[in-house]
Amino acid sequence: MLASPRTACPRICCAGVATRPPCFATQLVGRVNKPVPFKPSVLSLIAHQAKPARTTAPRLAAHPLSGQVLSFAKHSSTEQDSSTQMEGSGQSPALKDVVLLGGGHSHVEVLRRFGMDPMPGVRVTLITKDVHTPYSGMLPGLVAGFYTFDECHIDLAQLCTFASARMIHAEATGIDKQSMVVLLPERPPIAFDVLSVDIGITPSKAIPGSSSIATPVKPISGFVDRFNRLLDHATNSEKPLQICVVGGGAGGVEISLALNHRLKIERQKAGKHGEAKCSVRLFSKGQILQGHTPAARHKLLRLAQEEGVEMREGVGIKQVQDGRLVLEDGSEQSFDECLWCTQASAPAWLTTTGLQTDKLGFLSINEYLQAASGPPNIFAVGDVATSTVYPRPKAGVFAVRQGPPLTDNIRRFLQGEDLKAFKPQTSWLSLITGGSKYAVATKGWLCLEGAWLWPVKDYIDRKFMSMYSTGLDQMEAKMAASAKPTSKAKEQAVAAAAGPEALAAVSAAKMRCGGCGGKVGASILSRVLQRLPRAKSIPGDSDILVGLDAPDDAAVIRPPPAGHVMVQTVDFFRSFVDDPYVFGAIAANHALGDCHAMGAQAQTALAVAVVPYGLDSKMEEELFQMLAGALPVLQEAGCALVGGHTCEGQEASLGFSVTGTAKEGSLMSKGGMQAGQAIILTKPLGTGTIMAAAMRRRAKGRWITGALTSMQQSSAEAARILKDHGATACTDVTGFGLVGHLVEMTRPSQVSAEINTASIPTLDGAMVCLAAGVMSSMHSQNAKASAAVTNAQQAIQHETWPLMVDPQTGGGLLASLPQDQADLCLQALQKAGYSEAAIIGRVTEGSGNIALQHQQNDIPVHNS
C-alpha cells in the first residue's frame, strides 16, 4: 500500500529445521482441568507433521500455451534520440507484475518471502478487500475472549511495506485471462504478468435467509463486526438469549463452545444471572464432526453436554426467517442470533473467468498450483482452489503449507525454470478448542484432550502470527546486519524470460537520456489519453476552446466574464501511497483544496506527472492509473483536465495547476477573520503522523485506510456550506499544520484566536503514532509556529501539541463565521458527510497570537 523509503537491501531467507521424534500412542481418559505449564518441547510429543513431497516437473506442465507465456510485453521498445546521456540511478525497472489476489494464509507467506528475498525487476501487488486478514485458527479464541482483534489478525499493510509490495484495497469482481487483468469495481482493472488467487470463500446462499438473516462465520472479516454487536446485545439485554449455530463440522462445534463460554462471562460481568440465561444450540444435517475419529467426536460431544450446549444431529434447515429457523421436518426454532458455519461457497464470478472450476465452483489446480487448464501464469491456493491431483478438505492447515511452494514456483516461472510439484500432507495435527482454555488434539488415529493442550495450541498460533508481526522486525534487522549488493543475476534471468524488450530496458536503465528533459514517449501518452474515459460534460466546457479533445501546444480558455476574477493555484508532491489510482485521486483533491477554500469554482487543470522508468507497458499503466484516479475527482468538482507534462523519474509524483473563477468580491480569504466569530474545522487531523508511521510499519492498516479515505474526501460541499452560513475567512489545512495555517489567518486579520485542543477531531491512530514519537519530516519546521502561541511553554508540553503542527495532505477547511451561525453550520456539515467537523475555538481581539487550551466537559484543564 505504501511507498516505502527503504532502499534495496540484501535478504536472507532463513529456514528452521525441526527434529522429529518417533511416533507414539497415548490415551488420556476423562477431562483434565488442571493447567500444565507449557514448554515448546511439548510440541515434539504431538506435532509430528508429514513433510510435503515435491517432484520436479516441466515449468509449464506441458500446457499447449507454453510457447507463448514468455511473450507478455505488449508494446515494442522505443529509443529516445539524443546524444546527451546521464548516468541512471541503478534502480531496477519494472519488468514483471506479480499480482496476489486476496490476503489468504498462502499469500501472506508469499509476501514475507518476497520481502526476505526480493527479485529485481519484479513488482508485487496485493489486491485485498480487507487490510487485516484473520487467522482462522484463532477465531474460536477471539470469540471466547482469549485474544484481541489485533492478536489474531495479520496487518496486510505492514506486511506489504516489509515486502516493498503495492497494496490495493479493493474487492475483485472478475479476471480477464486474455487481457491479463483483474477487474475491480469503479476503477480501472489491474494488469498482471503472473496472477495468484487466494480469496477464500463466501457465504452459501443455498438455503433462503442463510446469508441475509443469519451471520456467516466466513468470511471472518464480516463475522467480527456482527459478533461484537451480539456481545453488546448480550450485555445490555435483560431477557434470556437464544443462540443457534448451524453446521456440525469442527468450526461449528468450536464456535458453539467458545460462544457459550463468552456469553456466560459477559452476562455475569453485567450482573445478569439465572433469570437472563443464554442458551446455545447447534444444528447439523448429518452427523456432527464427520471425518474426525470416533474418539474425538465422543470427547467433544461430552464437553458440549458438560457446558450445556445442545447438539442436534440429523436436523436439516429449510429456511431462515427473522428470529426463527424453519427445520426440514416443519418445526421451528426461535433465536436471537443465528451463526452459519456450514461449508461456504466459491465466489460466483469465478465461473465467468473461463478458468476451470470443480462442480462447486472452486478453481481447479494441478500439482504445481497452477490453473488446471491454464493459462500457466495463473495460480490458485487456499480454500478457493481444489487440487485435481491431490484433493484435500478446505482447511487453513493446507493453505499455510502452500505458501512456500507457491513462492518457489512463481519465482521459477518468472525466471523460465521448471516448476516443482507439491504434494500436501496426508496427516495433520488438529487442535479443537473446547470453549474454555481446553482443547482436543487429533492426528490420524491419535486423540488427546486436556487443559495442557491449550498452551500448546496457543504457542503454535502465536508463533505463526509472530512471523508476520514482530518477526518482521527481527528479520529486517538480520537483513540489515548482513547487507550485500543486490544480485543482478535474478534481474537478468527475469529479463531473459520476459523477452528482448525487457533485456533492452535493463540495459537502458543504467544510462537514461537527459537531454530531452526525461520526457515520456509520445506513443505512451497517446495510448493513455485514448484509454482515459471520455470527460463528462461540465458547466465550463464551452469556455475551453482547445483541450484534450484536440490537443495542441497549449490549452486555450476564454477569460471569465465581466465581474468575475480568475483564481490560480498549483500543488505537486511525490507519491506516498503505492496504489497509483488512489494517489491520483488524493493529488487532484489536494490541488483543488485552495480553490474550495477561497470559494472559487475550479474550471481547468494542467497535470504534471513523473513516472518511474520501466517497460513502455509498465510506464503507460502507471500514468494511466494516476490520471484515471484524478479524473473523476476533477470532474466531480466541475474542473476539466486540459493538458499537462509527463517525464521520467526515480519515483512517481503528480501535481496539478488549477485555474478557477469567482465573482469579484465574493471570495473568502485568510485575512477575513473577525473578533467574536467561531472557528470550525471540517475534517480530522493526523494524516502526517499516520503516513510517517505507515512507512515504518508502525501504523495499523485500518488507521492508514482511514487516513486515505479522509484525504480523498472533497471539501467542495464544505466550502459551500461555510459560505452559506456567513464564513468570512477560510483556508485549507495542509503542509503547515493547524497552527501554521491559523497564524496565516490571524495575522493578516489582526486578530487572535483561542483553540480548545480537546475539541479538535483526530483520525483514528494519530495520537498513538504521535505518542510513540513518530513525526512527519516537516514537524520540526512546523513546530516553529509556537512563536505565535501565547502560552507556548505550557502548550508544547501537552500531548496534543504535536497534532497541532502535524502536516496534512488533503486536509479539511479551517474557517471563521458568526457565532450565531456556528451550530447550524456544524449540523449542515455533518449532514453532508463531514461527520467529524467540529467547532474548535473562537476569534478574539489581538494581534495574530494563538492561545491553546484543553477543555473537557466545560472544565478547563491546564496544559502540563
Side-chain angles (χ1 to χ4, degrees):
M1 169 182 277
L2 301 170
S4 173
R6 262 177 35 197
T7 55
C9 62
R11 314 292 193 192
I12 300 176
C13 183
C14 300
V17 179
T19 57
R20 296 183 177 180
C23 292
F24 73 104
T26 301
Q27 180 71 32
L28 296 185
V29 181
R31 181 169 184 173
V32 182
N33 290 303
K34 183 179 179 181
V36 179
F38 173 67
K39 297 181 180 179
S41 59
V42 176
L43 288 177
S44 62
L45 299 177
I46 60 173
H48 181 158
Q49 297 292 320
K51 184 178 181 180
R54 301 192 200 178
T55 57
T56 303
R59 177 173 59 87
L60 301 182
H63 193 275
L65 296 178
S66 60
Q68 305 173 21
V69 297
L70 294 181
S71 180
F72 288 116
K74 298 180 181 178
H75 307 292
S76 59
S77 61
T78 58
E79 293 293 333
Q80 294 179 327
D81 185 15
S82 174
S83 60
T84 304
Q85 299 287 321
M86 65 178 181
E87 186 174 353
S89 65
Q91 195 173 19
S92 298
L95 306 176
K96 290 293 180 184
D97 277 306
V98 173
V99 173
L100 306 176
L101 178 54
H105 295 356
S106 301
H107 279 177
V108 296
E109 181 63 12
V110 174
L111 287 166
R112 190 178 76 94
R113 288 175 177 253
F114 265 96
M116 293 190 296
D117 186 17
M119 296 184 72
V122 175
R123 181 169 56 190
V124 180
T125 299
L126 173 70
I127 301 175
T128 176
K129 66 183 181 68
D130 301 307
V131 295
H132 297 272
T133 190
Y135 176 44
S136 57
M138 297 176 81
L139 177 63
L142 174 68
V143 171
F146 305 145
Y147 301 119
T148 65
F149 178 91
D150 288 322
E151 285 177 324
C152 58
H153 283 76
I154 296 171
D155 193 316
L156 294 176
Q158 294 185 6
L159 184 58
C160 283
T161 302
F162 171 79
S164 296
R166 303 191 304 180
M167 187 175 113
I168 294 176
H169 188 197
E171 184 173 6
T173 57
I175 298 169
D176 186 334
K177 64 179 184 178
Q178 278 75 33
S179 299
M180 294 194 304
V181 294
V182 176
L183 306 179
L184 303 176
E186 299 180 0
R187 59 172 290 170
I190 300 298
F192 64 83
D193 297 305
V194 175
L195 173 67
S196 179
V197 184
D198 185 12
I199 54 176
I201 49 185
T202 61
S204 173
K205 298 180 180 180
I207 296 177
S210 60
S211 61
S212 58
I213 299 175
T215 300
V217 173
K218 287 193 175 183
I220 296 173
S221 57
F223 166 74
V224 173
D225 289 339
R226 187 78 173 260
F227 172 67
N228 288 333
R229 290 195 293 271
L230 170 60
L231 287 182
D232 290 339
H233 180 55
T235 302
N236 298 320
S237 177
E238 298 294 336
K239 299 178 181 179
L241 291 181
Q242 298 187 71
I243 311 297
C244 292
V245 179
V246 179
V253 172
E254 281 190 296
I255 290 295
S256 298
L257 292 169
L259 186 60
N260 182 70
H261 173 81
R262 181 69 176 277
L263 290 177
K264 284 181 179 178
I265 292 176
E266 295 298 331
R267 299 281 272 191
Q268 288 174 0
K269 286 181 180 178
K272 297 174 174 60
H273 302 289
E275 71 280 0
K277 184 180 178 182
C278 289
S279 61
V280 178
R281 295 182 177 86
L282 182 143
F283 295 83
S284 177
K285 185 171 184 178
Q287 187 184 59
I288 290 174
L289 294 170
Q290 289 184 8
H292 288 264
T293 63
R297 172 179 148 78
H298 171 75
K299 293 176 188 297
L300 286 163
L301 287 175
R302 193 200 74 244
L303 287 176
Q305 185 177 16
E306 291 175 0
E307 294 296 334
V309 176
E310 182 182 348
M311 299 282 184
R312 299 188 61 181
E313 296 181 293
V315 180
I317 308 300
K318 182 179 180 181
Q319 186 179 8
V320 184
Q321 298 178 354
D322 286 332
R324 66 176 183 269
L325 294 174
V326 179
L327 310 183
E328 288 184 343
D329 63 7
S331 62
E332 296 182 353
Q333 173 64 57
S334 61
F335 64 78
D336 293 289
E337 184 67 51
C338 178
L339 305 184
W340 206 261
C341 298
T342 63
Q343 180 64 56
S345 304
W349 59 261
L350 287 176
T351 58
T352 68
T353 62
L355 299 170
Q356 181 180 325
T357 60
D358 66 9
K359 60 182 181 180
L360 297 177
F362 297 100
L363 292 176
S364 298
I365 59 172
N366 60 24
E367 63 269 39
Y368 313 110
L369 306 179
Q370 294 168 300
S373 60
N377 63 321
I378 296 181
F379 297 78
V381 286
D383 286 352
V384 77
T386 299
S387 176
T388 59
V389 182
Y390 302 113
R392 293 291 186 272
K394 304 289 184 188
V397 65
F398 300 107
V400 169
R401 291 295 189 90
Q402 288 175 324
L406 173 62
T407 308
D408 187 35
N409 277 347
I410 288 175
R411 292 183 189 276
R412 288 174 171 274
F413 186 88
L414 288 167
Q415 296 180 116
E417 299 175 358
D418 289 343
L419 305 190
K420 287 187 176 181
F422 168 70
K423 182 178 180 180
Q425 67 269 35
T426 56
S427 177
W428 58 93
L429 173 66
S430 177
L431 286 162
I432 304 173
T433 305
S436 59
K437 292 184 177 181
Y438 193 94
V440 174
T442 66
K443 189 174 191 295
W445 55 268
L446 180 65
C447 183
L448 309 173
E449 72 169 301
W452 69 276
L453 282 169
W454 169 258
V456 176
K457 175 175 172 55
D458 182 61
Y459 174 82
I460 293 173
D461 291 340
R462 289 185 184 275
K463 184 178 180 181
F464 173 80
M465 292 296 292
S466 71
M467 292 168 57
Y468 309 102
S469 53
T470 56
L472 299 181
D473 295 331
Q474 299 166 7
M475 181 57 63
E476 206 162 47
K478 289 181 181 179
M479 294 187 298
S482 57
K484 296 179 182 178
T486 303
S487 171
K488 289 293 182 182
K490 293 179 182 177
E491 183 180 43
Q492 289 294 329
V494 172
E501 185 188 4
L503 286 169
V506 171
S507 177
K510 301 173 184 177
M511 296 290 288
R512 292 301 297 153
C513 168
C516 59
K519 286 185 178 180
V520 170
S523 60
I524 294 176
L525 287 172
S526 177
R527 289 194 296 268
V528 168
L529 293 177
Q530 288 175 5
R531 292 175 61 189
L532 287 173
R534 186 173 181 83
K536 298 177 182 178
S537 177
I538 56 178
D541 272 352
S542 59
D543 294 327
I544 301 171
L545 305 180
V546 177
L548 289 181
D549 289 341
D552 211 312
D553 290 338
V556 180
I557 299 103
R558 285 194 181 94
H564 286 68
V565 293
M566 186 176 292
V567 178
Q568 292 185 314
T569 181
V570 62
D571 269 298
F572 178 86
F573 47 78
R574 67 182 189 178
S575 179
F576 53 87
V577 55
D578 273 339
D579 184 342
Y581 182 87
V582 170
F583 174 54
I586 292 173
N589 193 48
H590 186 86
L592 290 165
D594 290 332
C595 265
H596 296 325
M598 297 192 77
Q601 170 58 54
Q603 184 181 25
T604 61
L606 295 170
V608 181
V610 178
V611 184
Y613 172 68
L615 297 180
D616 278 7
S617 58
K618 305 302 180 187
M619 295 176 68
E620 175 189 333
E621 191 63 24
E622 187 84 3
L623 179 58
F624 169 70
Q625 290 284 343
M626 286 196 297
L627 294 181
L631 199 59
V633 176
L634 294 172
Q635 291 177 350
E636 184 67 24
C639 182
L641 181 64
V642 294
H645 179 82
T646 308
C647 60
E648 293 177 8
Q650 292 190 28
E651 56 187 350
S653 302
L654 183 63
F656 296 89
S657 174
V658 178
T659 299
T661 64
K663 288 184 179 180
E664 194 165 356
S666 68
L667 292 174
M668 295 184 290
S669 68
K670 295 178 181 178
M673 280 185 151
Q674 300 171 14
Q677 289 185 326
I679 300 174
I680 284 183
L681 179 64
T682 62
K683 290 164 69 172
L685 302 179
T687 63
T689 183
I690 289 175
M691 300 316 291
M695 292 179 181
R696 305 176 202 179
R697 288 192 291 105
R698 292 297 178 267
K700 299 182 187 301
R702 57 185 177 273
W703 300 348
I704 300 168
T705 55
L708 294 176
T709 299
S710 179
M711 287 184 239
Q712 294 175 73
Q713 184 180 26
S714 171
S715 289
E717 182 64 11
R720 185 193 66 77
I721 292 171
L722 289 167
K723 201 169 182 180
D724 288 348
H725 287 81
T728 59
C730 187
T731 190
D732 57 333
V733 180
T734 52
F736 299 151
L738 177 67
V739 171
H741 286 288
L742 185 56
V743 169
E744 289 185 328
M745 299 176 77
T746 57
R747 285 184 175 171
S749 303
Q750 297 187 352
V751 294
S752 292
E754 291 180 356
I755 299 297
N756 178 15
T757 58
S759 299
I760 293 174
T762 308
L763 287 168
D764 186 24
M767 293 305 297
V768 177
C769 294
L770 290 170
V774 181
M775 316 269 181
S776 169
S777 56
M778 284 189 67
H779 179 86
S780 58
Q781 284 290 326
N782 288 355
K784 294 178 181 179
S786 63
V789 179
T790 56
N791 57 336
Q793 191 171 4
Q794 291 179 320
I796 63 176
Q797 299 300 319
H798 196 271
E799 63 179 0
T800 56
W801 169 249
L803 185 69
M804 300 300 99
V805 293
D806 186 54
Q808 305 300 294
T809 299
L813 299 181
L814 182 66
S816 69
L817 70 166
Q819 187 72 49
D820 60 2
Q821 289 293 306
D823 288 337
L824 293 174
C825 181
L826 187 62
Q827 293 173 16
L829 285 168
Q830 292 175 345
K831 186 177 180 180
Y834 303 93
S835 59
E836 297 192 63
I839 300 170
I840 64 169
R842 65 191 184 96
V843 184
T844 61
E845 298 285 352
S847 55
N849 294 323
I850 298 170
L852 297 179
Q853 301 175 347
H854 195 78
Q855 298 178 340
Q856 292 179 326
N857 299 324
D858 299 324
I859 301 174
V861 179
H862 294 293
N863 294 309
S864 60

